[in-house]
Amino acid sequence: AYLDYQVGCTEEGKINAIVATLYYQQGAYLDFGDMGGLDVLQMSLDGVYNCENWQLSGFECKTDTPGNTFCRGPVFLPGTFLIESVLDHVAHQVGREAEEVMSLNLYKKGDVSLAGQTLADSNARATFDLCVSNADFGDRAKEVEDFNAKNALVKRGLAICPSKYMMNPCTGFPSLVSVQEDASVLIQHTGCEIGQGLNTKAVQTAALELGVACDAIKCAATSSRIAKTGNVTGGSTTSEAICASTVLACQEIARRMAPVKQANPDAKWADLVSKCYSQGIDLAARAVYDGSQRQPGVLPDQQDNGPSPYVQYGCAAVEVQVDVLTGETQVLRVDLVQDNGISLNTAVDVGQIQGSFIMGLGYMLTEEFVWDRTGKRTGSAGSNVSNGTWEYKPMSSLDIPIEFNVTLLPKSVNSHGVLGSKSVGEPPLILSAGVVSAVRKAVQAFRRQQGGGKEKEFCAISAPATVEKVQLATGLNLQDLTLVAED
């Protein structure tokens, strides 16, 4: 995506108006039908910043490249990157730190977003302030400044990136819960466990509702033979949806068992199940959470605040070290705060946060498609040059942050989610946009050192900020590398 923009702001950096034209590279054909990506980009383009006056137009651009498809955090990541670049540019123009400008423009509770979402429970400020505190941002910014003053060809940058992510409804996933005669419990649901901890959360939810140990419960492989009419596993809400349907199924089983339990209040779980079986009570129940069911504190309250049931917030502080000779970037430290409401499983959620952020780092730093326009490199015009890991560089074990700290926002309860939780799979991805802001600061530090007027220009690095782009952005030339003998 490409953004052509004009910004009206105060001397302090408070944004009053943005006039922008958005160009979205769709490729040779539309994927996902009419959904495209432009509408979602418009929903995410304001980030966490309250600008009361927008004039926004956009174009989906048909190009001679393969169609772009949705992946993790579809188009929310480029949308966040674009608005963060705008905030960096504003800060540069008014001569203030980007973090000051960010803080001045953050959404407050009750504000209405560009997409028409009332931010009734906005935690943009809470995640931002906690991230600044956890990262010890003020002292470390001074340390970065001192480091840059002492090192001519290696520079560091420290930046903040806050975010909001508008979630989809978590409906339409059937769950069949069966209590076996041996007192074990089998869950057969329509979600796909793909490493996001869906089964773990479903088991925990059933254990909570039935009062059974987790080791007595298991999830079967997903199959349309048992649980039909499922929804697509995606949008970060499948775990929530399965948990909601599992809650309803377990509650139905508990309702059927209630008379037996009332007659045998001291009976253990296995004895209770045995008595139910002896009385011919059906201990299998299928349920689908469709959004109409209401249970405060358990199921979403379905309050209508706009196009999304709720909004997920986060903030990350990213410190990088840039070798200006090569453009190589090393991520030194990340301090990330995520608003997960009441986490359904802290270990699972922190793992999702880490993995999602690292995936975003690849998008922001190294994973670039290169096309052979003339055919000189491959012998075939239009061929994808970056068709293997020699040219296409996803993050690997040596590319991850040296220090990576994750904090879940405390005292956050989401009444619009399942059991007070918030989804986790995709929202942390977009916080990786902060790495480009950190690289930009490192490059600007080198430009200030070199002088010559280049330091007055805004460093407009596009993503991915590959080694080539970063090195060229420094403005380093051969004369800078000349060694002069001293008498």
Side-chain angles (χ1 to χ4, degrees):
Y2 174 82
L3 188 69
D4 186 10
Y5 60 88
Q6 292 179 307
V7 179
C9 65
T10 67
E11 293 180 353
E12 292 76 24
K14 180 70 175 72
I15 297 176
N16 295 321
I18 297 178
V19 179
T21 303
L22 184 65
Y23 300 89
Y24 178 74
Q25 181 184 343
Q26 182 58 62
Y29 51 85
L30 273 177
D31 201 350
F32 275 73
D34 295 333
M35 290 178 66
L38 186 59
D39 291 343
V40 187
L41 263 172
Q42 291 173 332
M43 289 174 63
S44 63
L45 191 57
D46 55 338
V48 295
Y49 307 115
N50 187 9
C51 173
E52 295 182 357
N53 302 288
W54 280 87
Q55 182 178 314
L56 182 63
S57 59
F59 300 92
E60 284 185 306
C61 302
K62 184 176 182 179
T63 62
D64 59 353
T65 57
N68 290 319
T69 188
F70 282 7
C71 188
R72 200 173 193 173
V75 301
F76 273 88
L77 180 53
T80 300
F81 167 72
L82 290 174
I83 192 61
E84 291 303 314
S85 297
V86 170
L87 265 289
D88 287 349
H89 197 171
V90 169
H92 179 81
Q93 287 298 114
V94 300
R96 291 179 176 268
E97 292 297 326
E99 295 70 36
E100 295 178 38
V101 175
M102 291 175 185
S103 180
L104 194 61
N105 290 282
L106 287 175
Y107 275 123
K108 302 185 298 293
K109 291 185 178 182
D111 287 343
V112 179
S113 74
L114 178 62
Q117 181 82 18
T118 299
L119 306 176
D121 304 309
S122 173
N123 281 323
R125 171 64 64 184
T127 52
F128 182 88
D129 289 347
L130 183 58
C131 184
V132 169
S133 174
N134 286 356
D136 195 15
F137 194 88
D139 290 342
R140 286 177 54 214
K142 183 62 171 61
E143 292 174 4
V144 167
E145 185 178 346
D146 293 342
F147 177 90
N148 289 339
K150 298 174 183 177
N151 294 272
L153 298 177
V154 178
K155 300 296 181 182
R156 290 182 179 178
L158 176 63
I160 289 276
C161 178
S163 70
K164 70 171 172 55
Y165 193 100
M166 298 173 65
M167 303 307 307
N168 294 318
C170 56
T171 58
F173 287 84
S175 179
L176 172 63
V177 180
S178 306
V179 179
Q180 310 297 324
E181 196 167 1
D182 64 356
S184 64
V185 180
L186 179 66
I187 302 173
Q188 295 164 290
H189 58 69
T190 50
C192 292
E193 172 60 71
I194 51 177
Q196 80 277 48
L198 188 159
N199 286 346
T200 298
K201 291 182 177 180
V203 166
Q204 288 182 292
T205 302
L208 177 67
E209 288 296 322
L210 296 175
V212 186
C214 287
D215 56 10
I217 308 172
K218 66 177 294 186
C219 287
T222 301
S223 171
S224 59
R225 293 182 179 181
I226 301 298
K228 304 183 188 306
T229 65
N231 207 332
V232 60
T233 295
S236 296
T237 57
T238 308
S239 294
E240 280 187 291
I242 293 300
C243 288
S245 297
T246 300
V247 163
L248 294 172
C250 289
Q251 288 177 345
E252 174 59 24
I253 292 173
R255 184 189 66 79
R256 297 174 190 174
M257 297 178 73
V260 179
K261 186 174 183 179
Q262 187 174 4
N264 302 272
D266 298 326
K268 295 182 178 181
W269 170 254
D271 295 332
L272 197 61
V273 171
S274 179
K275 292 180 183 297
C276 288
Y277 264 89
S278 67
Q279 296 181 31
I281 297 175
D282 183 7
L283 296 185
R286 181 181 183 273
V288 183
Y289 173 67
D290 59 15
S292 65
Q293 302 93 331
R294 300 285 190 275
Q295 287 187 42
V298 179
L299 299 177
D301 60 12
Q302 298 300 316
Q303 181 180 347
D304 186 9
N305 288 318
S308 294
Y310 64 87
V311 179
Q312 167 75 277
Y313 299 91
C315 190
V318 184
E319 183 179 357
V320 302
Q321 181 168 289
V322 173
D323 184 333
V324 299
L325 293 177
T326 65
E328 181 182 4
T329 297
Q330 172 70 62
V331 183
L332 301 178
R333 176 174 165 179
V334 172
D335 294 270
L336 190 153
V337 176
Q338 194 71 38
D339 174 19
N340 259 37
I342 301 175
S343 173
L344 294 177
N345 185 300
T346 302
V348 167
D349 288 349
V350 169
Q352 283 290 292
I353 290 168
Q354 292 172 324
S356 185
F357 184 86
I358 297 301
M359 183 176 177
L361 284 185
Y363 187 100
M364 286 288 113
L365 290 178
T366 60
E367 297 183 47
E368 182 179 39
F369 285 111
V370 179
W371 308 98
D372 186 0
R373 298 293 182 184
T374 63
K376 291 182 178 180
R377 296 179 65 177
T378 63
S380 177
S383 294
N384 182 6
V385 176
S386 50
N387 59 357
T389 54
W390 189 254
E391 296 290 346
Y392 189 84
K393 304 293 184 181
M395 291 284 106
S396 66
S397 59
L398 295 181
D399 299 310
I400 64 176
I402 295 174
E403 182 178 347
F404 197 166
N405 305 309
V406 175
T407 301
L408 301 183
L409 183 68
K411 300 179 181 179
S412 175
V413 180
N414 180 27
S415 62
H416 319 303
V418 178
L419 296 170
S421 69
K422 288 190 175 184
S423 296
V424 68
E426 292 169 298
L429 178 88
I430 62 181
L431 294 173
S432 60
V435 73
V436 180
S437 294
V439 169
R440 181 180 289 119
K441 284 191 174 185
V443 171
Q444 287 175 329
F446 179 74
R447 287 180 170 185
R448 286 192 297 270
Q449 170 188 292
Q450 298 301 97
K454 189 77 172 178
E455 72 280 4
K456 297 179 182 179
E457 301 175 10
F458 175 65
C459 182
I461 300 179
S462 63
T466 60
V467 291
E468 296 92 345
K469 292 180 184 177
V470 174
Q471 201 286 318
L472 289 173
T474 64
L476 185 70
N477 56 53
L478 291 178
Q479 291 179 344
D480 298 320
L481 304 180
T482 303
L483 298 178
V484 179
E486 295 183 357
D487 294 333

